[in-house]
Amino acid sequence: MTRRSLAILLLAVAALPSPARAAPPDLRELDAIVLDASRSPPERRAALERAIAERRARLPSAKPSERDALALDLAESLILVRPSLDGTDHFAAVGLLEARDFARVQQSVLEAEKLLDGVPDSPRMRVLRAIAGARRIDLALGDGVAASPAPLTGLSSPTREIVMIANARLLLASQPAAAQATLDEVVTTAGVPSAVALTARLLGPLGAAERGDAASLSALQAIAAGTSRNAIAERLLVGDALARAARHLHRAPDEAVAAWSELLRSVAREDAASARAAVIERVQTIVDPASVDASTAAPLVLAAVIRDVAKRDLAGVVAALDRMLRDEEIAGLGALAPLLAFERARLLALAGDYREAAQKFRTLAFERSDDPVASEAIDLAMELLFELSLSPSTTEAQKADAATAMTEAIAKFYDHPKRDRWRVHLGNVELDRGRLAAARTAFAASPSESAREGLALAWLLTALGARGEAEVAASLRESDAAMPAPAATPSARRLLLEGLRARATGDNGTAAARIDAALADPSLLTGDVRVGFRELLSSQRRASAPPALTPGAAAAAERMPTLARDAIVAELETSFARSAEISEATAAVEATSLRTLLPPPPRVLATMTPAQRALVATALLADRRRTEAAAITGPLLAESQDPATMLLHARAVEESQPREAFDLYRAIVQRAEPQSSAWWNGQVGELRLRFATPSAETAELVIARVNRLRQTDPDLGGERTRAALEGLAESAHAELRKATAR
């Protein structure tokens, strides 16, 4: 049974009396497809439209003996068969059509009437004209007076009862008593199909509603109460009649909404999705979204227009959905529950709560995998989880959860059209986690080109991490075998692959150039950008070039500053983080090698933690770039006045603002834990600035302080502070000797 269709008019097409005719074979075949209820509705509609087009094409040049039959066949297709397949085959439906579909039905009626005007009188012509007249009334094209009730002679059931309903429709306005008698006869006819009998029962009260009789709604509600066990199409028809009656009476369609809602509460699970789609479409034609208040709307009404209402009252829609979904049974959602749950998850995604949205989409898809919303829900969950898993802020545990969710979805939704895409997503997540074997397994299961590129990348990263030459060579062979043929314009990942292969074979200059080109491309995946930053700096080191953000890397740093931050900090930690334990000369050499990498771009620096910014400032100070260091240490000191930060800023401003530096060194000596590294360095800084302008008085002070400190710790805090303090004491002694000589 098709949407809204009584599925009985197709029988009527075959039963209508018509003169014997020899239809061309192709039209016979098309008509057979149309009448074959075992075929799918789209297939039958396609055959019907081809038959209509063929008859239209043949009609102008048809022989007189064939023309009348062609015209009657075409009219029958337009006003009987097409409405049945389109779901506009009864009086209530056409009043609920969208404007475009309404115009199409109207055009069919007008075309059929024109065809019937040109054929001689016959029982078949009178039947079709009566049906056309009834449809004219349904469409409010006129009162149908041009048509007369059709003769019933020779008609058999159910064609006879269908024509009787059309006749009653013609008389309903002018002769309601006669029309009702005809309808009653249809209802009491033995063996009449229940859909036809129901149509006859509903048409009387609907006619009363058209005449302004408010009691008609009660009559229709009484009919609705007795059809709770009827077929879905019949229960939809009852709602249609209630909606059209409400329209005629200028009332809200509350009774129709109640009837359709009850249908969705009680429909079998296997029929829920199709019934929901049919009901939602109806509600959308009769409800103005601008008039809907989310806080009071019935679940069905909200479901039908939720996206329009959310545009002006997002908070209200969210609150209403949460209230309804808290207890589906109390809210009476029935078949609406999966749709409303989907919309709630979608609103979470629109609000930026992607992780919660992904979880809700995934839960919905697994719990209601038989519902059509599950397909879109699981795909959205996979896309959100993929994007979240590659976010720099995502934890390793969250990445692991994403990989598990993707693996489960691939296994459960085995026939989903996006399954291969999910495999590629899974492979990329596993790549980012460093699980190269798992990544290779995921990529190998998909035949797509992106999967082959991912597989090649996994093998290249395996080669870069390999220890032995044999393992490197084997991994490179696997990567080459997986690599797709080069495109005219290489993708960003392809450029990265070429760079990594050059890196694996020792061609570090080529590697840096290719990786830089890949990083410049905004389409490069987040995980690939992370790899690109790391391997670019590594290639530069191995090529004996100072590490630096090349133009492509700088562009990528603007797009993804946290990834650039991670790469720069790793480079600093590798080259310089141990500088506190090595000599100043060695630290200066390390810092000089990083000169082209520091300071980081402002967007990158802004993502750094205080400890990371302090590391950058320390490297700049080792390279004697005090002004640039002070630009970092000043904001750090405003955030925290701990001794280590005070010491760092004092060093940065010692030359440009010695008074501020002196005060900071003194504060460190007073606040820092005695004998701590900061305390000893504060002592050095204070004495150094006191002795910046040498005099006998300051010389004596320096000597006395150093002697006192030596009594506290003969080692004077360690090698570096001892050397600085002893150097200051030696300079002070020299100054005293000069003063004595004078």
Side-chain angles (χ1 to χ4, degrees), residues 283-486:
V283 176
Q284 288 171 341
T285 65
I286 62 175
V287 172
D288 178 8
S291 67
V292 175
D293 181 347
S295 65
T296 58
L300 173 56
V301 173
L302 186 61
V305 296
I306 190 167
R307 300 194 179 186
D308 290 312
V309 178
K311 291 176 183 177
R312 58 178 170 80
D313 185 15
L314 179 60
V317 169
V318 168
L321 287 177
D322 287 343
R323 184 180 66 254
M324 293 172 186
L325 292 169
R326 265 196 299 270
D327 194 326
E328 297 176 13
E329 187 173 346
I330 291 176
L333 301 185
L336 289 174
L339 179 62
L340 292 178
F342 179 90
E343 290 298 330
R344 181 65 183 95
R346 191 184 70 86
L347 291 177
L348 281 169
L350 290 176
D353 193 350
Y354 303 123
R355 200 168 299 282
E356 181 67 16
Q359 181 58 42
K360 285 189 176 296
F361 278 133
R362 181 168 173 259
T363 300
L364 170 62
F366 274 79
E367 290 181 354
R368 297 301 300 264
S369 58
D370 58 335
D371 194 287
V373 300
S375 178
E376 188 175 357
I378 193 62
D379 186 48
L380 288 171
M382 295 300 99
E383 294 297 330
L384 287 172
L385 285 173
F386 174 59
E387 293 299 327
L388 287 167
S389 68
L390 298 185
S391 169
S393 62
T394 299
T395 66
E396 287 302 314
Q398 289 170 334
K399 292 178 185 178
D401 289 343
T404 299
M406 290 179 181
T407 301
E408 291 174 352
I410 290 168
K412 182 173 182 62
F413 296 89
Y414 55 86
D415 57 350
H416 198 286
K418 298 286 188 68
R419 195 163 176 248
D420 272 341
R421 180 176 171 84
W422 302 345
R423 288 192 176 107
V424 175
H425 286 346
L426 174 60
N428 284 316
V429 172
E430 298 291 27
L431 271 183
D432 198 48
R433 296 177 66 201
R435 289 166 43 88
L436 299 182
R440 294 196 300 266
T441 300
F443 286 131
S446 172
S448 69
E449 184 165 315
S450 57
R452 292 175 60 196
E453 284 188 341
L455 184 58
L457 177 56
W459 279 114
L460 281 172
L461 293 176
T462 303
L464 289 171
R467 295 182 178 179
E469 291 184 5
E471 187 181 353
V472 171
S475 297
L476 289 177
R477 283 195 300 273
E478 294 287 355
S479 176
D480 291 343
M483 190 88 74

Side-chain angles (χ1 to χ4, degrees), residues 4 48 134 137 173 207 210 234 309 333 521 617 636 662 706:
R4 296 187 180 176
L48 174 66
I137 296 173
E210 291 173 349
E234 296 174 19
V309 178
L333 301 185
D521 192 328
L636 280 174
F662 180 78
V706 172

Side-chain angles (χ1 to χ4, degrees), residues 32-100:
I33 293 173
V34 172
L35 294 171
D36 186 353
S38 67
R39 295 180 181 266
S40 68
E43 187 179 8
R44 296 167 72 188
R45 289 191 194 99
L48 174 66
E49 295 306 320
R50 286 178 57 199
I52 288 174
E54 181 64 23
R55 287 187 168 103
R56 280 175 178 154
R58 294 184 184 188
L59 195 58
S61 58
K63 298 176 182 178
S65 59
E66 299 174 350
R67 189 182 184 288
D68 292 345
L70 273 173
L72 289 171
D73 288 344
L74 182 53
E76 185 177 296
S77 296
L78 292 169
I79 59 173
L80 267 179
V81 187
R82 180 191 272 173
S84 179
L85 293 180
D86 285 351
T88 60
D89 55 354
H90 55 77
F91 59 86
V94 292
L96 306 178
L97 294 177
E98 296 282 0
R100 181 181 61 183

Side-chain angles (χ1 to χ4, degrees), residues 39-291:
R39 295 180 181 266
S40 68
E43 187 179 8
R44 296 167 72 188
R45 289 191 194 99
L48 174 66
E49 295 306 320
R50 286 178 57 199
I52 288 174
E54 181 64 23
R55 287 187 168 103
R56 280 175 178 154
R58 294 184 184 188
L59 195 58
S61 58
K63 298 176 182 178
S65 59
E66 299 174 350
R67 189 182 184 288
D68 292 345
L70 273 173
L72 289 171
D73 288 344
L74 182 53
E76 185 177 296
S77 296
L78 292 169
I79 59 173
L80 267 179
V81 187
R82 180 191 272 173
S84 179
L85 293 180
D86 285 351
T88 60
D89 55 354
H90 55 77
F91 59 86
V94 292
L96 306 178
L97 294 177
E98 296 282 0
R100 181 181 61 183
D101 295 330
F102 188 92
R104 186 167 182 257
V105 175
Q106 174 180 304
Q107 184 58 42
S108 294
V109 171
L110 297 177
E111 183 180 355
E113 287 182 331
K114 186 175 180 180
L115 290 166
L116 295 174
D117 286 341
V119 299
D121 183 42
S122 68
R124 187 181 183 211
M125 185 275 287
R126 293 178 191 170
V127 166
L128 292 175
R129 188 171 288 283
I131 292 172
R135 292 203 178 282
R136 172 178 281 276
I137 296 173
D138 293 337
L139 293 164
L141 298 179
D143 58 9
V145 293
S148 301
L152 303 177
T153 306
L155 298 181
S156 58
S157 184
T159 304
R160 180 177 182 277
E161 289 75 30
I162 292 171
V163 176
M164 289 174 68
I165 291 174
N167 288 344
R169 191 72 172 111
L170 294 173
L171 300 173
L172 204 55
S174 59
Q175 302 178 51
Q180 188 61 55
T182 301
L183 295 172
D184 291 343
E185 183 180 346
V186 172
V187 172
T188 57
T189 299
V192 67
S194 63
V196 176
L198 180 61
T199 299
R201 290 177 63 199
L202 293 170
L203 187 53
L206 181 60
E210 291 173 349
R211 296 190 299 273
D213 184 356
S216 58
L217 272 177
S218 299
L220 289 171
Q221 284 182 286
I223 296 173
T227 57
S228 60
R229 296 180 179 276
N230 285 43
I232 293 174
E234 296 174 19
R235 297 178 69 183
L236 289 171
L237 173 59
V238 173
D240 292 346
L242 284 164
R244 187 155 183 177
R247 177 175 293 179
H248 286 302
L249 295 171
H250 307 291
R251 292 180 47 162
D254 297 339
E255 294 81 4
V257 169
W260 288 325
S261 297
E262 179 57 35
L263 165 61
L264 296 184
R265 277 192 290 271
S266 58
V267 69
R269 186 157 177 162
E270 61 270 20
D271 297 321
S274 59
R276 183 180 68 220
V279 168
I280 290 290
E281 183 179 359
R282 286 162 159 76
V283 176
Q284 288 171 341
T285 65
I286 62 175
V287 172
D288 178 8
S291 67

Side-chain angles (χ1 to χ4, degrees), residues 658-704:
R659 185 65 220 180
E660 181 183 354
F662 180 78
D663 291 342
L664 285 168
Y665 285 133
R666 288 195 68 184
I668 292 168
V669 171
Q670 293 168 2
R671 298 180 190 177
E673 181 73 23
Q675 311 300 318
S676 66
S677 176
W679 186 83
W680 282 107
N681 279 287
Q683 299 280 4
V684 172
E686 180 187 346
L687 292 178
R688 184 169 57 241
L689 287 177
R690 281 187 182 278
F691 199 59
T693 305
S695 68
E697 182 181 355
T698 55
E700 290 176 351
L701 187 150
V702 168
I703 293 169

